[in-house]
Amino acid sequence: MIDHYDWPGGREAMMRFGPAGGPVVVAALPLFEEANRTRAFMVTILRGLASRGIASALPDLPGQGESLLPTGAARLAAMRNAFAAVPGAYTIAIRSGALLDAGARKGRWHLAPQPGADLVRELERVRQAGEAEDFAGNIISPEFLVELVGAEPDPARVVRLESDARPADLTVPGAPQWRRAEPDNDLVLAALLADDIAAWIRACEG
Amino acid sequence: MLPDGKLEVENAVRAVLRDVLGLSEARAAAFREGTPLFGALPELDSLAVAGVLTELEDRLGILIEDDEVDGEMLETFGALTEFAAAKALK
């Protein structure tokens, strides 16, 4: 269901999934190109949560998706403020979505969280590969890049793919959807992750 | 676990190409030392190269500087594996 939410800087759209009652999970997609590559995958996870009785919201943040704010005017602080205004006791985020995961919550869950400095390094490589001023079609202001360099995800339950050697609370088999040159989906991995999120929320709720 | 041998590096390079380019298991498994990559695989454009390099860095725990990236290291599967192994196994 398409809904909207208000934050101190305006109003943005969001998709809602699942039942009307119970705990709500607010979801953050990665920034820029990886948002396109993981959107269908994230929606599959949220539908999986709905079938497990858990409600969720996937907000467009200012400068993202259907937002009226031009992408070049997007700022990390504003996106975080908007995300914090979306009601929900729990959050889940993929990759650099972890940098947007703000607000008072009972718990956070991050899939392969990416520190801001790593993202900026990657963006620079993408910009050079495109031999243009934009970043593979994304217009990103210098101010936004400065905000990103120092950004680190907050503590969370961290899930990583088996191919990723960094510390994690859980590792799962599967390919990184966020790297795929052409967007794809992974129904098996999405179901596995929905199971883990549902079990984690049940444990948090006691 | 980070790879500690040549075969592990080769398998990591194979898996990265499969995952980034969306190749079938069979197609990735058929890569040999002389299999041409850049210019021969239509999926491997310059943006995909950026994804391959970054994912290799993550999986092998290495850093690839931009001035090290040239056509030669991307010419064949063997050349890319040699490059990655020289970084990962030193």
Side-chain angles (χ1 to χ4, degrees):
Chain A
M1 179 181 91
I2 306 284
D3 197 358
H4 69 266
Y5 68 100
D6 292 300
W7 70 287
R11 169 173 282 202
E12 298 288 351
M14 67 176 167
M15 286 212 280
R16 282 191 173 284
F17 304 86
V24 174
V25 173
V26 187
L29 291 171
L31 290 159
F32 316 123
E33 192 59 29
E34 289 190 6
N36 304 325
R37 296 175 182 162
T38 57
R39 193 175 178 85
F41 181 58
M42 177 66 99
V43 167
T44 306
I45 293 173
L46 299 181
R47 292 208 169 107
L49 288 177
S51 72
R52 290 160 179 79
I54 295 168
S56 60
L58 179 61
D60 272 350
L61 300 176
Q64 233 188 7
E66 307 301 317
S67 173
L68 295 174
L69 190 78
T71 52
R75 295 289 182 276
L76 185 62
M79 294 176 97
R80 287 177 59 85
N81 284 341
F83 189 86
V86 182
Y90 300 94
T91 56
I92 64 172
I94 299 177
R95 298 277 288 164
S96 56
L99 305 175
L100 306 170
D101 181 4
R105 314 287 183 185
K106 282 164 86 172
R108 306 176 193 283
W109 182 101
H110 293 165
L111 176 62
Q114 184 183 39
D118 289 9
L119 171 60
V120 170
R121 189 165 179 278
E122 209 172 313
L123 285 170
E124 199 46 50
R125 178 170 275 162
V126 162
R127 194 179 60 80
Q128 286 180 9
E131 290 172 4
E133 279 309 299
D134 63 14
F135 300 79
N138 291 285
I139 296 165
I140 307 170
S141 70
E143 293 87 346
F144 197 169
L145 291 175
V146 169
E147 285 181 291
L148 283 173
V149 169
E152 288 279 346
D154 284 336
R157 173 172 174 80
V158 172
V159 178
R160 295 187 186 278
L161 300 178
E162 283 173 349
S163 53
D164 186 342
R166 281 163 289 193
D169 296 301
L170 174 73
T171 53
V172 290
Q177 296 300 314
W178 49 88
R179 289 278 188 227
R180 286 292 303 274
E182 296 295 328
D184 197 8
N185 204 342
D186 185 337
L187 303 181
V188 175
L189 179 58
L192 192 76
L193 296 176
D195 276 339
D196 182 63
I197 296 163
W200 165 72
I201 288 175
R202 275 196 300 274
C204 290
E205 293 283 299
Chain B
M1 226 182 70
L2 294 177
D4 52 6
K6 180 80 189 290
L7 185 65
E8 279 98 320
V9 173
E10 185 184 307
N11 286 337
V13 173
R14 198 184 295 280
V16 165
L17 288 168
R18 180 197 64 206
D19 289 349
V20 174
L21 305 180
L23 306 177
S24 69
E25 199 70 52
R27 217 173 135 204
F31 283 161
R32 295 290 171 264
E33 206 178 315
T35 305
L37 297 180
F38 196 62
L41 292 177
E43 298 91 343
L44 190 62
D45 59 17
S46 58
L47 258 185
V49 166
V52 166
L53 296 179
T54 311
E55 187 65 16
L56 275 177
E57 289 183 331
D58 285 356
R59 291 201 198 181
L60 298 174
I62 59 176
L63 270 186
I64 302 170
E65 301 299 336
D66 292 325
D67 57 16
E68 296 174 311
V69 180
D70 56 28
E72 217 167 290
M73 68 171 278
L74 290 162
E75 203 175 323
T76 62
F77 179 67
L80 184 57
T81 303
E82 277 302 324
F83 175 86
K87 285 258 167 195
L89 303 178
K90 75 177 172 200

